[in-house]
Amino acid sequence: MENPYTAPSANLFGNTSAHPETIPLEVVTPLQRTKVWVRVVSVALWLLVVVMMVFGASSAFVYSMAGATSEGKAPGMPELWIFIFGAIFYPLMGVLYVFPAIKLWAYGSRINRLVISHSLEDLVSAMDKQRSFWKFMGIVTLVIMGITLFLLITATANAVRGR
């Protein structure tokens, strides 16, 4: 019940709700439906981190076992540099996947808060977490493209020089 003794107020922003910063359901619902998939991808990334760490540890273990043999390489084993590469590369990739997993989980949590509160502050927070995720992914994409371009130019130069 409204107080009949308060001064009248005009709604200058066209919002019909009692709280001008309440986010309409039409905005919250698509984000709420997205949250499930954000969580699925985040959990998948965490599982990928675990798999990468296990592969790195197993590569290091195989390398250490192969190095313990008298010849430095067990019969039928591939070259040991493959295991050294795996022991270094897989954990590094695992660490790289931690950041988007954290960012996506935080984005899902902010969506959850928005669903409960319908507040502008929570919407801005959710959008900022999404921006942070995409910024990270954009930087990683540019770095990978740069490395690929460098390797392509290096391989081409070596091929031309080798002729």
Side-chain angles (χ1 to χ4, degrees):
M1 180 174 189
E2 291 193 34
N3 186 350
Y5 301 107
T6 59
S9 64
N11 185 355
L12 301 176
F13 302 106
N15 193 341
T16 58
S17 68
H19 304 287
E21 291 192 6
T22 300
I23 304 301
L25 195 59
E26 294 84 14
V27 174
V28 175
T29 301
L31 289 173
Q32 182 180 14
R33 291 168 49 197
T34 303
K35 183 186 79 165
V36 173
W37 298 110
V38 168
R39 294 284 195 206
V40 166
V41 173
S42 181
V43 168
L45 286 172
W46 281 114
L47 291 174
L48 196 56
V49 167
V50 170
V51 167
M52 291 289 191
M53 294 303 172
V54 168
F55 280 178
S58 64
S59 291
F61 177 75
V62 168
Y63 174 73
S64 68
M65 289 287 102
T69 62
S70 60
E71 300 170 8
K73 184 172 111 173
M77 290 282 291
E79 297 299 320
L80 289 181
W81 68 266
I82 293 171
F83 297 106
I84 295 170
F85 177 77
I88 295 169
F89 177 75
Y90 284 121
L92 286 177
M93 289 303 294
V95 168
L96 184 66
Y97 288 141
V98 166
F99 298 106
I102 290 171
K103 290 175 183 304
L104 280 178
W105 192 265
Y107 175 49
S109 297
R110 294 309 191 281
I111 291 173
N112 198 38
R113 284 181 22 194
L114 174 64
V115 167
I116 294 168
S117 72
H118 287 255
S119 76
L120 180 61
E121 180 181 319
D122 287 335
L123 176 63
V124 170
S125 179
M127 292 294 100
D128 189 53
K129 290 299 178 185
Q130 184 187 52
R131 178 207 55 80
S132 175
F133 168 76
W134 286 114
K135 178 182 176 184
F136 179 82
M137 293 307 296
I139 290 169
V140 168
T141 300
L142 291 175
V143 167
I144 289 172
M145 288 172 61
I147 291 170
T148 303
L149 184 62
F150 171 76
L151 291 175
L152 181 65
I153 291 170
T154 304
T156 304
N158 285 338
V160 168
R161 196 174 9 168
R163 283 187 164 187

